[in-house]
Structure formats: structure tokens, C-alpha cells
Amino acid sequence: MEQFNRFYLWGVNTKYRMGLYFAAAVSFKGLVNALLGLWTVDTLILLEMLLACFAFACLETAIFPHGKNLLAEKKRVALWAVLANVIFLCCGWMLRWFPGIPLWGALVLVLFLESSLGGMWYALWLKEKRDTAALNQGLRRFQEGA
């Protein structure tokens, strides 16, 4: 039962992250399409984005497992950032998620990806900091009560 619970919690955490990345990817695809005068998004592109987001979320939860303070490890953060760039930039380019976008638009999308990754790292760091503070406070209460 412990294995099932661990897998279930992993799935919940991974789906949350996948959904967050997928919402961002679809939003930007929709925005780019609107700027290019298109009002639809191909279902195949949506599926590709969903799978890319799932792959990245799985890798992210492997790099930063739940319950472990690992965001301070620069190698893990660098690996996370490199994988994000490889997955999203390569998929976007090879699968032609943004056809017809001018070079300056592609640069804006890359800059936005980088700033979004910075924001996500900051959110993960804040959550880890909050969790650590809560654990330390609980430990202090336990020590005072003992």
C-alpha cells in the first residue's frame, strides 16, 4: 500500500506541474496564432505540447523529488534548466509549433521561456523555504514539549 500511495502522490504532483506547463504552452501558442491572424490550434500540436509537458514534469519531479531540499544544489538547477530548454525549444522547432513566426518573435518566445523558468524556479524555491520553516517550527514545538 505504501508503494501505491507514493506513486499516487508522485502522479498528483507530476500532473499539477504538467498542467501548469501545458496551460502556459497553449496560452502562448494561442497568443502567437492570434498575432499571426490564426484563430485555431491544431489538435496534434496540443497533443505534442501535452506530451512534452508531461515528459518535462516527470523529469522535474525526478530532479527535485518531493520532500527533499534540493533547489540549492546548482547542478540540479542547471540540469533542470537545460532539460527545459532542450525539451521546449527542440519540440517547438522540430515539431513546428510556431510556423510563420519571424526571427524576432522566436527570440521573444525564448526570452519568455527563460523568464518563465526563472519564475518557476523561484516558486519552487519559495515553497521549499516555506516547507522548511514549517518543519523547523514543528521541531521547535516538539522540543519544547519534550
Side-chain angles (χ1 to χ4, degrees), residues 11-63:
V12 168
N13 191 30
T14 302
K15 285 190 294 185
Y16 163 74
R17 292 176 182 199
M18 175 190 71
L20 194 62
Y21 294 128
F22 183 64
V26 170
S27 296
F28 289 108
K29 174 62 177 165
L31 178 64
V32 168
N33 278 9
L35 291 173
L36 294 173
L38 304 170
W39 303 106
T40 61
V41 177
D42 291 340
T43 305
L44 182 60
I45 289 177
L46 292 173
L47 180 60
E48 292 167 351
M49 287 180 166
L50 183 67
L51 292 174
C53 292
F54 178 67
F56 181 63
C58 288
L59 292 170
E60 183 178 74
T61 55
I63 294 169

Side-chain angles (χ1 to χ4, degrees), residues 67-88:
K68 299 195 178 179
N69 294 337
L70 300 171
L71 284 167
E73 292 184 20
K74 292 178 183 176
K75 287 182 182 180
R76 286 182 187 262
V77 173
L79 176 63
W80 173 78
V82 166
L83 287 173
N85 280 285
V86 167
I87 289 172
F88 292 114

Side-chain angles (χ1 to χ4, degrees), residues 70-127:
L70 300 171
L71 284 167
E73 292 184 20
K74 292 178 183 176
K75 287 182 182 180
R76 286 182 187 262
V77 173
L79 176 63
W80 173 78
V82 166
L83 287 173
N85 280 285
V86 167
I87 289 172
F88 292 114
L89 294 177
C90 287
C91 285
W93 177 66
M94 291 179 1
L95 299 173
R96 300 190 39 84
W97 287 351
F98 302 99
I101 192 168
L103 180 61
W104 65 267
L107 293 174
V108 168
L109 282 175
V110 169
L111 288 174
F112 196 82
L113 171 64
E114 300 308 319
S115 64
S116 297
L117 287 173
M120 187 61 178
W121 175 86
Y122 184 66
L124 292 170
W125 179 80
L126 282 176
K127 182 181 180 305

